[in-house]
Amino acid sequence: ERFSQTTLEAVSRQHVVDVSENTESPGQALKHYSPSLETFLLNLNGQVDTPIVDQAKCLPELNLTNGVLIDFYGSLLSVKNLALEYRDLSKVGNVKEAMANLYDYLRWAENVNGATNVFIANFGGDHNDRELQNEEFVETVADKTFRASCGQVLTLDINNMAFYKS
């Protein structure tokens, strides 16, 4: 008989690599996609009657005036004019287009004169029940933006224009 039965054994091992360690697969590191500027995922809290009150989580040193906004589907449009520069990964909600633009926009943001921070629309956030195109890529883009921000998520309370750790 040409084929024989073989037993396969599943082996799993955990290995966490320090970001300073050279790796064969640098894409596994959390900071792999991170630009040279400090980068955050950004949610907006726009409910006037529910301001964020946890002052311990407030980050008064951050502001939009020296930040670059990288938006998706206009979710940060209400604060566009407060930022140093602004770009939208896809104005029409096309996740595949956003995926294609992400790295170019991150590199562009690094070169914006006077920028100290990059704020990326949180793909895990609300899209106001608007339908997305190529929605099957949301998890991929969410992972890439999470890595670009090193997992740092902020909420901007538009009532007092203050950033809070999420």
Side-chain angles (χ1 to χ4, degrees):
E1 193 172 298
R2 292 180 48 192
F3 299 101
S4 62
Q5 191 171 9
T6 304
T7 303
L8 297 176
E9 181 181 340
V11 178
S12 174
R13 65 182 171 142
Q14 282 272 342
H15 178 69
V16 178
V17 178
D18 186 278
V19 293
S20 62
E21 183 180 325
N22 287 333
T23 62
E24 289 181 29
S25 302
Q28 299 299 312
L30 181 60
K31 294 184 92 167
H32 176 65
Y33 302 110
S34 185
S36 61
L37 298 174
E38 189 163 21
T39 303
F40 303 94
L41 292 179
L42 185 61
N43 298 307
L44 293 183
N45 176 25
Q47 298 176 344
V48 175
D49 56 345
T50 57
I52 299 171
V53 292
D54 189 351
Q55 294 304 314
K57 293 183 174 184
C58 185
L59 301 167
E61 68 278 8
L62 292 177
N63 63 64
L64 283 176
T65 58
N66 58 358
V68 175
L69 282 178
I70 298 179
D71 200 356
F72 174 71
Y73 207 6
S75 63
L76 304 176
L77 202 53
S78 65
V79 293
K80 170 186 176 179
N81 294 331
L82 302 174
L84 186 62
E85 291 286 343
Y86 172 95
R87 285 202 179 161
D88 196 319
L89 292 167
S90 176
K91 294 176 184 175
V92 296
N94 186 325
V95 183
K96 192 172 182 180
E97 176 187 9
M99 188 168 59
N101 287 331
L102 181 61
Y103 297 125
D104 288 339
Y105 286 16
L106 289 172
R107 298 304 155 235
W108 160 79
E110 289 180 310
N111 295 305
V112 171
N113 192 23
T116 58
N117 300 104
V118 178
F119 302 101
I120 306 171
N122 189 356
F123 266 74
D126 183 19
H127 300 291
N128 297 320
D129 296 323
R130 296 181 293 175
E131 192 170 319
L132 302 178
Q133 298 171 37
N134 297 300
E135 193 168 356
E136 65 271 20
F137 296 106
V138 167
E139 287 184 28
T140 301
V141 178
D143 178 66
K144 291 178 181 194
T145 57
F146 184 82
R147 289 175 183 275
S149 68
C150 297
Q152 299 182 94
V153 183
L154 300 178
T155 298
L156 175 61
D157 187 336
I158 61 173
N159 299 310
N160 62 9
M161 295 310 292
F163 287 96
Y164 295 85
K165 294 178 195 172
S166 296

